[in-house]
Amino acid sequence: MANFQLTSETAFKVKTKFLRKYRDLANEPLEFTPGKEDQLIEDLMRLVKRDRTYIEFTIQKALADTKGNRL
């Protein structure tokens, strides 16, 4: 279970920050449905080839400053 909750707005910001860090994700469909945080984590794990801990940490870091551009 994910350690965070995303809304449509925060999911868009997290996606934008991931696209800045991993430019090759631009061609991948990263869809998010509220309440499906685990599915988003699994998709990102597969796409960036990192473990769940890293993905959750990165998402939480992105959520810490939603107005900033840094990840």
Side-chain angles (χ1 to χ4, degrees):
M1 180 162 192
N3 296 329
F4 54 86
Q5 293 274 328
L6 293 176
T7 63
S8 295
E9 181 181 330
T10 57
F12 177 76
K13 291 179 182 182
V14 167
K15 178 181 173 181
T16 301
K17 289 183 179 191
F18 261 91
L19 288 175
R20 284 188 187 125
K21 185 168 183 163
Y22 299 100
R23 294 179 189 255
D24 55 326
L25 294 182
N27 298 330
E28 300 293 332
L30 283 176
E31 300 297 323
F32 174 73
T33 305
K36 301 278 185 171
E37 287 84 0
D38 287 326
Q39 183 63 42
L40 177 65
I41 291 171
E42 290 174 17
D43 290 345
L44 288 170
M45 286 171 54
R46 178 179 49 81
L47 292 170
V48 300
K49 296 173 179 62
R50 299 297 294 255
D51 66 356
R52 184 178 189 92
T53 304
Y54 174 82
I55 299 297
E56 286 187 2
F57 171 79
T58 306
I59 290 173
Q60 288 174 346
K61 191 174 174 184
L63 292 172
D65 182 19
T66 56
K67 293 183 182 179
N69 288 331
R70 298 184 70 186
L71 181 60

